[in-house]
Amino acid sequence: MKAKPAPPSPLRPPSDRSEPYPSARDLLRAAAALAAVCLVAFGVHASRLGFSLDDWTMLERLRGGWSDGVRAMAQVSLERPGAIVLWPTLYAWFGIDSTPYHWLLVAQDFSAALLFYLYAGRWFGLQRLALVAASLALLTPIAPSTHHWAMSVSQQAAFSLVLGSMLLHLHWLEDGRPRFLAGAMALYGASLTLYEAAIFLPFAHACGLAVRATARGASAREAAKRAAVYGLAPFAAVAAAALGWQRLVCPWILGRPPSKGTGTSAGWILLVYRDALESYTSELWWELGIGWKALTKQFGGWMHALLAAFTLGSAVAGAAVKQRAPVNWRVAASLLAAAFLAAYLPFGLSGAYRPQVVGILSRVNHTGAFALALGLALACEFLGAAAARFGSAALERGTRALLVGSIAASFTCTTWYFAMTWVAADATQLDIINKVAAQVRGRPEVKTVVLLNAPQRIQGAEVFTAHWGFASGLRLATGRADLNGDVFIDVDRIKRHPRAGLYLYDYASGRLATPDISW
């Protein structure tokens, strides 16, 4: 007996169908290429990276074992229940060895890029465009903390889950079987239990559905209605449930206001988007200049050879991958604009964080980096097509090769440079902790250590800019729960208001002493 065909989807009309999936051969080639990009961009430094700032606090919270870690996480992260389980589990596997956490980030970079490749391919049907976009998303150097900071594991996992949910949603629109819609919403809901930075991406996805339908002949009213009901509504329902948990249920359970601020204004939102545009333009240009300077002054000979090979490979890939269909520029422009707005809206509404291209807060640019990469890939495609009008197919391929190779080389130089700053910052933090711990051990009279004359940042990568990372690192290194730490407090104020057990540590001289000694 033959199985019954799947019921038709409400969005089954030809105007709403996505481009087909890549062949198994194309998928394997793309996966191999993206794995190579990950290893070149991040594998070079992954084993040299350590812990930074909030990592130390997280490790201290988890050191009691899995069950104690879950309870400790529930006290501070009830709004993100997925993180309550994720971090104790990772600690049970990896402990306090930083290397596995950073290789996990490399694996997450790969998974996000592969999902982005599939997603872009379903929109545009161009394997070349999808592969270039996914590769540049890895290399775009405006969100280094998401590649080099262990705490970014949650954000990376959440982003991949959102991409997976939108892929399944596209499949449901064509197939119509409820299990695909349920799977899409389950992935989206799981992402919101970890991190919320990509919460509005499905809304850009729905916008793209509406514009694509009108571009294929549907009326604007019908396209908007179908996209709202079958594209937007399922995601909006899940997002509303997640926000209700965070903003209503958790404050009621904990008896305190939400831990993440919601105060914002039109001025703040405009500042966030202004900073995002600067990250894409002037700040990115500044970063690329630093990266090229590092190429000549700081990178070893083997890195020059690797960069040359990688640039050549990127150029060949950008020119050689077969084209499947012409780009619908109307759909591309609408999807790109909506993705940019969706990437930064959570931070505009939170009233807390603004984009920057270096340091911890560069994580604000993570979702936006994928939008920028798609825009750059579309620009390469457009310029290649424009070159074809004035010459042969060889000129078209050469134009794309030159553009993709140049961008890949510039981005890789800058990615390596900022990875080196994170390596140096992490090593400095560990050095500070080890040196202070060596002097504090066996001295129970020392209750608080104030750090002085230590670098706060190394080319934008934070060292100890706040007390909690330093204090947690000290307690981990010494095993003393009663030991506290602080950073960069005014010495004169300490002398005027001395406290028993308070000592100053001068990193420059390596001296630990009470404030009554002349500094």
Side-chain angles (χ1 to χ4, degrees):
M1 183 176 176
K2 291 185 178 180
K4 292 183 179 181
S9 165
L11 285 182
R12 197 65 182 268
S15 62
D16 294 295
R17 293 182 64 82
S18 298
E19 298 294 337
Y21 290 104
S23 66
R25 187 175 183 181
D26 284 341
L27 181 58
L28 286 174
R29 285 178 173 175
L34 293 173
V37 173
C38 283
L39 291 175
V40 169
F42 311 120
V44 172
H45 297 99
S47 297
R48 298 170 57 203
L49 289 159
F51 294 121
S52 179
L53 293 179
D54 295 24
D55 295 341
W56 299 107
T57 304
M58 179 66 77
L59 293 172
E60 182 188 21
R61 194 174 290 142
L62 301 174
R63 63 179 176 177
W66 192 87
S67 298
D68 289 343
V70 168
R71 284 191 288 270
M73 288 294 296
Q75 293 176 8
V76 297
S77 190
L78 190 61
E79 298 93 340
R80 295 170 177 167
I84 294 175
V85 178
L86 173 66
W87 283 104
T89 302
L90 292 180
Y91 185 81
W93 292 344
F94 303 151
I96 59 172
D97 181 3
S98 62
T99 300
Y101 295 93
H102 289 289
W103 279 106
L104 175 59
L105 280 174
V106 175
Q108 288 181 310
D109 282 317
F110 170 75
S111 67
L114 188 61
L115 288 168
F116 189 57
Y117 161 78
L118 291 171
Y119 185 72
R122 298 231 66 196
W123 276 98
F124 301 109
L126 276 165
Q127 300 311 307
R128 177 182 61 241
L129 171 64
L131 182 58
V132 170
S135 300
L136 294 183
L138 291 170
L139 296 172
T140 301
I142 62 173
S145 67
T146 56
H147 308 298
H148 310 312
W149 188 31
M151 284 291 292
S152 294
V153 166
S154 293
Q155 184 173 354
Q156 287 268 29
F159 182 76
S160 292
L161 288 169
V162 172
L163 284 177
S165 75
M166 295 190 298
L167 269 172
L168 269 183
H169 182 260
L170 288 177
H171 194 82
W172 170 72
L173 293 178
E174 296 177 347
D175 184 281
R177 282 178 283 187
R179 68 187 184 191
F180 292 110
L181 177 62
M185 295 306 105
L187 291 178
Y188 182 57
S191 77
L192 300 183
T193 69
L194 292 169
Y195 206 77
E196 310 83 24
I199 186 173
F200 292 118
L201 269 188
F203 300 86
H205 170 84
C207 176
L209 290 175
V211 176
R212 186 176 67 180
T214 58
R216 293 177 177 177
S219 69
R221 182 176 180 180
E222 181 66 16
K225 180 180 177 180
R226 288 202 303 265
V229 173
Y230 302 111
L232 183 60
F235 289 104
V238 175
L243 292 175
W245 167 260
Q246 288 189 357
R247 301 296 170 185
L248 299 175
V249 178
C250 286
W252 177 74
I253 293 174
L254 299 172
R256 62 172 185 254
S259 60
K260 300 297 179 182
T262 55
T264 189
S265 65
W268 176 267
I269 293 174
L270 290 175
L271 279 176
V272 167
Y273 282 105
R274 185 204 68 179
D275 291 350
L277 288 173
E278 287 182 353
S279 296
Y280 285 14
T281 53
S282 59
E283 292 195 19
L284 175 60
W285 189 255
W286 168 77
E287 280 192 320
L288 295 180
I290 290 178
W292 281 113
K293 288 179 182 177
L295 175 65
T296 59
K297 295 181 179 179
Q298 293 180 253
F299 297 166
W302 68 271
M303 295 183 77
H304 289 106
L306 179 60
L307 180 66
F310 181 65
T311 302
L312 179 61
S314 300
V316 171
V321 179
K322 292 181 180 179
Q323 179 173 347
R324 219 184 235 173
V327 174
N328 186 314
W329 295 106
R330 181 179 165 191
V331 174
S334 63
L335 190 64
L336 190 60
F340 172 75
L341 293 174
Y344 294 97
L345 187 57
F347 302 100
L349 295 178
S350 72
Y353 302 133
R354 288 164 55 183
Q356 61 184 48
V357 296
V358 295
I360 296 295
L361 287 183
S362 64
R363 71 182 187 272
V364 175
N365 278 323
H366 180 241
T367 306
F370 282 76
L372 175 59
L374 178 60
L376 291 171
L378 287 166
C380 292
E381 197 64 38
F382 177 81
L383 293 172
R389 298 173 188 170
F390 300 99
S392 64
L395 178 61
E396 177 188 4
R397 289 194 296 270
T399 300
R400 284 200 310 267
L402 177 63
L403 291 170
V404 174
S406 299
I407 295 172
S410 299
F411 283 9
T412 302
C413 282
T414 307
T415 294
W416 282 350
Y417 172 75
F418 282 107
M420 292 168 67
T421 67
W422 276 79
V423 169
D426 294 353
T428 301
Q429 290 179 63
L430 184 60
D431 185 57
I432 291 170
I433 289 171
N434 287 338
K435 287 181 176 178
V436 176
Q439 296 202 39
V440 167
R441 288 191 185 96
R443 299 182 63 179
E445 72 277 9
V446 180
K447 301 297 183 184
T448 301
V449 178
V450 176
L451 178 64
L452 301 174
N453 293 324
Q456 290 184 278
R457 291 177 175 83
I458 296 178
Q459 295 297 322
E462 292 90 341
V463 181
F464 283 125
T465 54
H467 67 88
W468 52 81
F470 177 54
S472 293
L474 280 183
R475 288 190 286 268
L476 283 169
T478 61
R480 284 184 50 186
D482 65 325
L483 186 60
N484 203 0
D486 213 331
V487 295
F488 310 113
I489 294 178
D490 181 59
V491 175
D492 292 333
R493 182 166 64 87
I494 294 174
K495 289 181 177 180
R496 290 194 301 269
H497 306 282
R499 298 200 313 262
L502 188 146
Y503 282 69
L504 306 180
Y505 178 76
D506 184 274
Y507 181 62
S509 65
R511 184 173 55 161
L512 178 73
T514 56
D516 57 328
I517 296 176
S518 175
W519 286 82

